[in-house]
Amino acid sequence: MLTRRALITATPLLVAGCSAGESPYDRAARDLWRLPDLGGGVPMLALVHAATLAANGHNTQPWRFRIQPRVIEILPDFSRRTPVVDPDDHHLFVSLGCALETLLRAGLGYGWAGEPELLPSGGVRIAFSSAPARPDALFQAIPHRASTRTEYDGRPVSAATLRGLEAAVGPEVALRWVLDPDDRAHLTDMIVDGNSAQLADPAFMRELTDWIRFDSREALAQRDGLFTAASGNLTAPRWLGERLLPMVMTEQGEAERIARWMKSSAGAAIFTGPSETPAGWIAVGRAFTRFALKATAAGLKLAFLNQPVEDIWMRRRMAAWMGAPARRPDLVVRFGYGPELPRSLRRPTQAVLVP
Ligand SMILES: Cc1cc2nc3c(=O)[nH]c(=O)nc-3n(C[C@H](O)[C@H](O)[C@H](O)COP(=O)(O)O)c2cc1C
């Protein structure tokens, strides 16, 4: 995808202005990004709330939840597909995996151990049983994890922290570090090439534009999509934002931004799942989420740069470079120390429940 996406990340044309006090958007974000104290109750709604805080492609939130006694089902919501950037629903199922892992981690924190079982429909059924509450660092990190699309400060990450991240990913999903200068330069080239191809594709741009929330009024009304200010940048009414987009999102400008972002990061990681199936993609989402929560707990910021894995030819080029031409690299994530940006929103829990 674009450097997630000039309007999300780019030239500060009209920066959202909020005078004294908290804006309605900031209040909504603050109310959203927390784990409620349950006072010992059965936390099904709290678990669904936590699951919705998971990373998900374009923030489409492609999920529905069915609550039964001690059971939650996470179901794909195909009405929220992004067919251009994600024609085979890879990102959709990775997003379900992110929600599943977040839900399981929240369950452990609240004292409910979940046993997941994949459903033939592509969903997941999780049966819960009571367990000692384990509000560990990954649990605490759930409301702090975010996609932070900006420059980081270039500081390296210690070997011990990298080992911790590797351990969090686990054995099912392969993790390839991109740390040394040659590798980083090569990966940067692939991201730039993928990005340029997406920029030149009108269908990609149309789909992306439809999911951009150009100002806080739109973001608050929809509570989904990619709010420009959540990447630290301009807001504008949609009619203006749509007109400005081609001007601020130039091939050259985007290439430079990617290079700066990669340079400022401590490194990047490429995730390759066990199989090219929905089950394999859910496993990738789960592994990424453990990585992201562990990184967040360690004070790191992270952001995807998935351009080289979103097109089959780019993907093959990357797989060949990685020395595993028969496998499908699933995700590209950069990480490092950096600033906090405004957070994204989610739809209310009630809106994602299957009645
Ligand atoms: C499968 C998947 C693919 C994604 N691809 C990108 C990407 O290429 N670039 C990007 O900036 N963000 C990407 N994201 C991040 C989402 O846009 C982000 O999770 C969503 O907007 C919610 O924001 P949050 O992560 O800050 O909660 C991806 C997320 C997932 C799960």
Short mmCIF file of all heavy atoms in Angstrom, two decimals, residues 1-5 33 53-59 90-92 94-95 98 145-149 225-226 261 288 303-307 310 331-332 343-346, ligand 1:
data_model
loop_
_atom_site.label_atom_id
_atom_site.label_comp_id
_atom_site.label_asym_id
_atom_site.label_seq_id
_atom_site.Cartn_x
_atom_site.Cartn_y
_atom_site.Cartn_z
N MET A 1 0.85 -1.18 0.00
CA MET A 1 0.00 0.00 0.00
C MET A 1 0.89 1.23 0.00
O MET A 1 2.08 1.14 0.21
CB MET A 1 -0.86 0.00 1.26
CG MET A 1 -1.78 -1.17 1.34
SD MET A 1 -2.90 -0.97 2.73
CE MET A 1 -3.01 -2.61 3.29
N LEU A 2 0.29 2.38 -0.19
CA LEU A 2 1.09 3.58 -0.22
C LEU A 2 1.70 3.83 1.14
O LEU A 2 1.27 3.27 2.10
CB LEU A 2 0.19 4.73 -0.57
CG LEU A 2 -0.46 4.51 -1.92
CD1 LEU A 2 -1.47 5.58 -2.17
CD2 LEU A 2 0.58 4.51 -3.00
N THR A 3 2.55 4.71 1.19
CA THR A 3 3.33 4.95 2.41
C THR A 3 2.37 5.30 3.50
O THR A 3 2.54 6.19 4.27
CB THR A 3 4.24 6.15 2.24
OG1 THR A 3 4.37 6.40 0.89
CG2 THR A 3 5.53 5.90 2.92
N ARG A 4 1.54 4.61 3.56
CA ARG A 4 0.23 4.75 4.10
C ARG A 4 -0.11 6.16 4.28
O ARG A 4 -0.43 6.64 5.34
CB ARG A 4 0.02 3.98 5.35
CG ARG A 4 -0.56 2.59 5.26
CD ARG A 4 -1.28 2.08 4.22
NE ARG A 4 -0.52 1.35 3.31
CZ ARG A 4 -0.88 0.19 2.90
NH1 ARG A 4 -1.92 -0.37 3.36
NH2 ARG A 4 -0.19 -0.39 2.02
N ARG A 5 0.03 6.63 3.29
CA ARG A 5 -0.80 7.13 2.24
C ARG A 5 -0.81 8.60 2.42
O ARG A 5 -1.40 9.07 3.35
CB ARG A 5 -2.22 6.60 2.32
CG ARG A 5 -2.36 5.21 1.77
CD ARG A 5 -2.51 4.26 2.78
NE ARG A 5 -2.60 2.99 2.11
CZ ARG A 5 -2.68 1.87 2.70
NH1 ARG A 5 -2.70 1.80 3.91
NH2 ARG A 5 -2.71 0.79 2.07
N TRP A 33 -9.47 3.31 23.95
CA TRP A 33 -8.21 2.58 24.09
C TRP A 33 -7.91 2.27 25.55
O TRP A 33 -6.97 2.80 26.14
CB TRP A 33 -7.07 3.34 23.42
CG TRP A 33 -7.19 3.27 21.95
CD1 TRP A 33 -7.80 4.17 21.12
CD2 TRP A 33 -6.73 2.21 21.10
NE1 TRP A 33 -7.73 3.74 19.81
CE2 TRP A 33 -7.08 2.54 19.77
CE3 TRP A 33 -6.05 1.00 21.33
CZ2 TRP A 33 -6.79 1.72 18.68
CZ3 TRP A 33 -5.76 0.19 20.24
CH2 TRP A 33 -6.12 0.55 18.94
N LEU A 53 -9.70 -3.97 19.18
CA LEU A 53 -8.55 -3.05 19.18
C LEU A 53 -7.39 -3.59 18.33
O LEU A 53 -6.37 -2.92 18.17
CB LEU A 53 -8.07 -2.81 20.62
CG LEU A 53 -9.10 -2.19 21.58
CD1 LEU A 53 -8.48 -1.96 22.96
CD2 LEU A 53 -9.65 -0.88 21.02
N ALA A 54 -7.56 -4.80 17.79
CA ALA A 54 -6.47 -5.42 17.02
C ALA A 54 -6.17 -4.64 15.74
O ALA A 54 -7.05 -3.96 15.19
CB ALA A 54 -6.86 -6.85 16.67
N ALA A 55 -4.95 -4.80 15.25
CA ALA A 55 -4.59 -4.26 13.93
C ALA A 55 -5.48 -4.93 12.88
O ALA A 55 -5.86 -6.10 13.02
CB ALA A 55 -3.12 -4.55 13.63
N ASN A 56 -5.79 -4.20 11.83
CA ASN A 56 -6.57 -4.79 10.73
C ASN A 56 -6.41 -3.95 9.49
O ASN A 56 -6.29 -2.73 9.57
CB ASN A 56 -8.04 -4.93 11.15
CG ASN A 56 -8.72 -3.59 11.39
OD1 ASN A 56 -9.39 -3.07 10.51
ND2 ASN A 56 -8.52 -3.00 12.58
N GLY A 57 -6.40 -4.59 8.34
CA GLY A 57 -6.07 -3.91 7.09
C GLY A 57 -7.04 -2.76 6.79
O GLY A 57 -8.27 -2.93 6.86
N HIS A 58 -6.49 -1.58 6.48
CA HIS A 58 -7.29 -0.37 6.18
C HIS A 58 -8.25 0.01 7.32
O HIS A 58 -9.17 0.81 7.11
CB HIS A 58 -8.12 -0.56 4.91
CG HIS A 58 -7.37 -0.29 3.62
ND1 HIS A 58 -6.00 -0.27 3.50
CD2 HIS A 58 -7.83 -0.03 2.36
CE1 HIS A 58 -5.68 -0.01 2.25
NE2 HIS A 58 -6.77 0.14 1.53
N ASN A 59 -8.11 -0.61 8.47
CA ASN A 59 -9.05 -0.41 9.58
C ASN A 59 -10.50 -0.61 9.13
O ASN A 59 -11.41 0.12 9.53
CB ASN A 59 -8.88 0.99 10.22
CG ASN A 59 -9.51 1.07 11.60
OD1 ASN A 59 -9.75 0.06 12.26
ND2 ASN A 59 -9.80 2.28 12.04
N HIS A 90 -6.47 -12.37 1.96
CA HIS A 90 -5.32 -12.62 2.83
C HIS A 90 -5.33 -11.68 4.03
O HIS A 90 -5.29 -12.10 5.19
CB HIS A 90 -4.05 -12.45 2.01
CG HIS A 90 -2.78 -12.42 2.80
ND1 HIS A 90 -2.32 -11.25 3.41
CD2 HIS A 90 -1.88 -13.37 3.09
CE1 HIS A 90 -1.19 -11.51 4.03
NE2 HIS A 90 -0.89 -12.80 3.86
N HIS A 91 -5.40 -10.37 3.76
CA HIS A 91 -5.34 -9.39 4.86
C HIS A 91 -6.55 -9.55 5.78
O HIS A 91 -6.46 -9.35 6.99
CB HIS A 91 -5.34 -7.96 4.31
CG HIS A 91 -4.01 -7.53 3.75
ND1 HIS A 91 -2.92 -8.35 3.64
CD2 HIS A 91 -3.61 -6.32 3.25
CE1 HIS A 91 -1.90 -7.67 3.12
NE2 HIS A 91 -2.29 -6.45 2.87
N LEU A 92 -7.69 -9.91 5.17
CA LEU A 92 -8.91 -10.08 5.98
C LEU A 92 -8.68 -11.18 7.02
O LEU A 92 -8.98 -11.01 8.21
CB LEU A 92 -10.09 -10.40 5.07
CG LEU A 92 -11.47 -10.46 5.73
CD1 LEU A 92 -12.55 -10.03 4.74
CD2 LEU A 92 -11.79 -11.86 6.23
N VAL A 94 -5.72 -12.42 8.02
CA VAL A 94 -4.67 -11.99 8.96
C VAL A 94 -5.31 -11.11 10.04
O VAL A 94 -5.01 -11.26 11.25
CB VAL A 94 -3.53 -11.24 8.23
CG1 VAL A 94 -2.57 -10.61 9.24
CG2 VAL A 94 -2.77 -12.17 7.28
N SER A 95 -6.20 -10.22 9.62
CA SER A 95 -6.87 -9.34 10.60
C SER A 95 -7.68 -10.16 11.60
O SER A 95 -7.70 -9.85 12.80
CB SER A 95 -7.78 -8.34 9.87
OG SER A 95 -7.03 -7.56 8.95
N CYS A 98 -5.36 -11.42 14.08
CA CYS A 98 -4.97 -10.37 15.03
C CYS A 98 -6.05 -10.23 16.11
O CYS A 98 -5.74 -10.11 17.31
CB CYS A 98 -4.78 -9.03 14.31
SG CYS A 98 -3.43 -8.99 13.12
N ARG A 145 -0.92 -0.70 21.81
CA ARG A 145 -0.41 -1.06 20.47
C ARG A 145 -1.03 -0.15 19.42
O ARG A 145 -2.21 0.16 19.49
CB ARG A 145 -0.78 -2.53 20.16
CG ARG A 145 -0.21 -3.02 18.82
CD ARG A 145 -1.15 -3.98 18.12
NE ARG A 145 -2.46 -3.43 17.94
CZ ARG A 145 -2.78 -2.56 16.98
NH1 ARG A 145 -1.89 -2.16 16.09
NH2 ARG A 145 -4.02 -2.06 16.91
N ALA A 146 -0.24 0.27 18.47
CA ALA A 146 -0.75 1.12 17.40
C ALA A 146 0.14 0.99 16.18
O ALA A 146 1.29 0.56 16.29
CB ALA A 146 -0.77 2.58 17.85
N SER A 147 -0.40 1.35 15.03
CA SER A 147 0.43 1.49 13.83
C SER A 147 0.94 2.93 13.83
O SER A 147 0.14 3.86 13.71
CB SER A 147 -0.41 1.24 12.58
OG SER A 147 -0.97 -0.05 12.64
N THR A 148 2.23 3.09 13.94
CA THR A 148 2.80 4.43 14.09
C THR A 148 3.55 4.79 12.81
O THR A 148 4.70 4.44 12.61
CB THR A 148 3.73 4.48 15.33
OG1 THR A 148 2.99 4.01 16.46
CG2 THR A 148 4.18 5.91 15.61
N ARG A 149 2.83 5.52 11.95
CA ARG A 149 3.36 5.82 10.62
C ARG A 149 4.04 7.16 10.62
O ARG A 149 3.46 8.17 10.21
CB ARG A 149 2.22 5.81 9.59
CG ARG A 149 1.45 4.51 9.52
CD ARG A 149 0.33 4.63 8.52
NE ARG A 149 -0.57 3.50 8.56
CZ ARG A 149 -1.68 3.45 9.29
NH1 ARG A 149 -2.00 4.47 10.08
NH2 ARG A 149 -2.46 2.38 9.23
N GLY A 225 -11.80 2.90 9.09
CA GLY A 225 -11.00 3.52 8.04
C GLY A 225 -9.76 4.22 8.57
O GLY A 225 -9.42 4.13 9.75
N LEU A 226 -9.09 4.88 7.66
CA LEU A 226 -7.77 5.45 7.92
C LEU A 226 -7.90 6.95 8.12
O LEU A 226 -8.01 7.71 7.15
CB LEU A 226 -6.85 5.15 6.73
CG LEU A 226 -6.67 3.65 6.45
CD1 LEU A 226 -6.19 3.40 5.02
CD2 LEU A 226 -5.69 3.03 7.45
N TRP A 261 11.56 6.73 6.42
CA TRP A 261 10.98 5.86 7.44
C TRP A 261 11.85 4.64 7.69
O TRP A 261 12.08 4.26 8.84
CB TRP A 261 9.59 5.40 7.00
CG TRP A 261 8.52 6.44 7.18
CD1 TRP A 261 8.67 7.70 7.70
CD2 TRP A 261 7.14 6.30 6.84
NE1 TRP A 261 7.45 8.35 7.71
CE2 TRP A 261 6.50 7.52 7.19
CE3 TRP A 261 6.38 5.28 6.28
CZ2 TRP A 261 5.13 7.73 6.99
CZ3 TRP A 261 5.02 5.48 6.09
CH2 TRP A 261 4.41 6.70 6.45
N PHE A 288 1.95 -12.10 14.45
CA PHE A 288 2.25 -10.66 14.37
C PHE A 288 1.76 -9.95 15.64
O PHE A 288 2.44 -9.06 16.18
CB PHE A 288 1.60 -10.01 13.14
CG PHE A 288 1.50 -8.53 13.31
CD1 PHE A 288 2.63 -7.74 13.21
CD2 PHE A 288 0.30 -7.92 13.68
CE1 PHE A 288 2.58 -6.37 13.46
CE2 PHE A 288 0.24 -6.55 13.93
CZ PHE A 288 1.38 -5.78 13.81
N ALA A 303 5.11 -0.25 12.40
CA ALA A 303 4.17 0.07 11.32
C ALA A 303 4.43 -0.88 10.16
O ALA A 303 5.57 -1.28 9.92
CB ALA A 303 4.34 1.51 10.86
N PHE A 304 3.36 -1.21 9.47
CA PHE A 304 3.50 -2.08 8.28
C PHE A 304 4.01 -1.29 7.09
O PHE A 304 3.69 -0.10 6.94
CB PHE A 304 2.13 -2.65 7.89
CG PHE A 304 1.56 -3.64 8.84
CD1 PHE A 304 0.67 -3.25 9.82
CD2 PHE A 304 1.88 -4.98 8.74
CE1 PHE A 304 0.11 -4.17 10.69
CE2 PHE A 304 1.33 -5.91 9.61
CZ PHE A 304 0.44 -5.50 10.59
N LEU A 305 4.74 -1.97 6.23
CA LEU A 305 5.04 -1.47 4.87
C LEU A 305 4.85 -2.67 3.96
O LEU A 305 5.82 -3.29 3.49
CB LEU A 305 6.47 -0.93 4.80
CG LEU A 305 6.71 0.45 5.43
CD1 LEU A 305 8.19 0.75 5.54
CD2 LEU A 305 6.00 1.55 4.64
N ASN A 306 3.59 -3.01 3.69
CA ASN A 306 3.28 -4.28 3.03
C ASN A 306 3.28 -4.21 1.50
O ASN A 306 2.92 -5.20 0.86
CB ASN A 306 1.90 -4.77 3.49
CG ASN A 306 1.99 -5.44 4.85
OD1 ASN A 306 2.97 -6.11 5.16
ND2 ASN A 306 0.97 -5.24 5.67
N GLN A 307 3.66 -3.08 0.96
CA GLN A 307 3.60 -2.94 -0.50
C GLN A 307 4.21 -4.13 -1.25
O GLN A 307 3.63 -4.59 -2.24
CB GLN A 307 4.30 -1.65 -0.94
CG GLN A 307 3.59 -0.37 -0.52
CD GLN A 307 4.01 0.12 0.84
OE1 GLN A 307 4.46 -0.65 1.68
NE2 GLN A 307 3.87 1.40 1.08
N GLU A 310 1.78 -7.29 -1.50
CA GLU A 310 0.38 -7.11 -1.87
C GLU A 310 0.12 -7.35 -3.34
O GLU A 310 -1.00 -7.17 -3.82
CB GLU A 310 -0.09 -5.71 -1.45
CG GLU A 310 -0.21 -5.63 0.08
CD GLU A 310 -0.55 -4.26 0.63
OE1 GLU A 310 -0.34 -3.26 -0.09
OE2 GLU A 310 -1.00 -4.20 1.78
N LEU A 331 3.79 -10.52 5.62
CA LEU A 331 3.75 -9.17 6.19
C LEU A 331 5.14 -8.58 6.28
O LEU A 331 6.11 -9.30 6.53
CB LEU A 331 3.18 -9.22 7.63
CG LEU A 331 1.74 -9.70 7.84
CD1 LEU A 331 1.44 -9.81 9.34
CD2 LEU A 331 0.73 -8.79 7.16
N VAL A 332 5.21 -7.27 6.11
CA VAL A 332 6.47 -6.53 6.32
C VAL A 332 6.20 -5.45 7.37
O VAL A 332 5.28 -4.65 7.21
CB VAL A 332 6.95 -5.86 5.01
CG1 VAL A 332 8.26 -5.12 5.24
CG2 VAL A 332 7.07 -6.88 3.89
N ARG A 343 -4.58 8.21 17.95
CA ARG A 343 -4.97 6.82 17.74
C ARG A 343 -6.11 6.72 16.73
O ARG A 343 -6.84 7.67 16.49
CB ARG A 343 -5.42 6.21 19.08
CG ARG A 343 -4.44 6.43 20.23
CD ARG A 343 -3.09 5.81 19.95
NE ARG A 343 -3.18 4.38 19.76
CZ ARG A 343 -3.25 3.50 20.77
NH1 ARG A 343 -3.20 3.92 22.02
NH2 ARG A 343 -3.33 2.21 20.53
N SER A 344 -6.27 5.52 16.19
CA SER A 344 -7.40 5.25 15.28
C SER A 344 -8.63 4.88 16.12
O SER A 344 -8.51 4.61 17.31
CB SER A 344 -7.03 4.12 14.33
OG SER A 344 -6.77 2.95 15.09
N LEU A 345 -9.79 4.86 15.48
CA LEU A 345 -11.02 4.51 16.21
C LEU A 345 -11.52 3.13 15.79
O LEU A 345 -11.04 2.54 14.82
CB LEU A 345 -12.11 5.55 15.93
CG LEU A 345 -11.89 6.95 16.52
CD1 LEU A 345 -13.10 7.84 16.20
CD2 LEU A 345 -11.65 6.90 18.03
N ARG A 346 -12.47 2.62 16.54
CA ARG A 346 -13.17 1.37 16.20
C ARG A 346 -14.66 1.60 16.35
O ARG A 346 -15.09 2.44 17.15
CB ARG A 346 -12.75 0.24 17.16
CG ARG A 346 -11.29 -0.13 17.11
CD ARG A 346 -10.89 -0.77 15.79
NE ARG A 346 -9.53 -1.29 15.84
CZ ARG A 346 -8.42 -0.56 15.63
NH1 ARG A 346 -8.52 0.71 15.31
NH2 ARG A 346 -7.22 -1.12 15.72
C1 LIG B 1 -3.07 -7.56 7.33
C2 LIG B 1 -2.78 -6.11 7.59
C3 LIG B 1 -2.17 -5.34 6.61
C4 LIG B 1 -1.86 -4.00 6.84
N1 LIG B 1 -1.17 -3.29 5.90
C5 LIG B 1 -0.76 -2.05 6.18
C6 LIG B 1 0.15 -1.37 5.33
O1 LIG B 1 0.63 -1.91 4.33
N2 LIG B 1 0.54 -0.12 5.66
C7 LIG B 1 0.10 0.49 6.79
O2 LIG B 1 0.49 1.63 7.05
N3 LIG B 1 -0.73 -0.13 7.64
C8 LIG B 1 -1.15 -1.39 7.37
N4 LIG B 1 -1.92 -2.07 8.27
C9 LIG B 1 -2.28 -1.41 9.55
C10 LIG B 1 -3.74 -0.99 9.60
O3 LIG B 1 -3.99 0.05 8.69
C11 LIG B 1 -4.04 -0.60 11.03
O4 LIG B 1 -3.92 -1.72 11.86
C12 LIG B 1 -5.43 -0.01 11.18
O5 LIG B 1 -5.53 1.19 10.46
C13 LIG B 1 -5.79 0.25 12.64
O6 LIG B 1 -4.85 1.11 13.23
P1 LIG B 1 -4.01 0.66 14.51
O7 LIG B 1 -3.13 -0.47 14.09
O8 LIG B 1 -3.23 1.89 14.89
O9 LIG B 1 -4.97 0.24 15.58
C14 LIG B 1 -2.23 -3.41 8.07
C15 LIG B 1 -2.84 -4.18 9.06
C16 LIG B 1 -3.09 -5.53 8.83
C17 LIG B 1 -3.68 -6.37 9.93
#
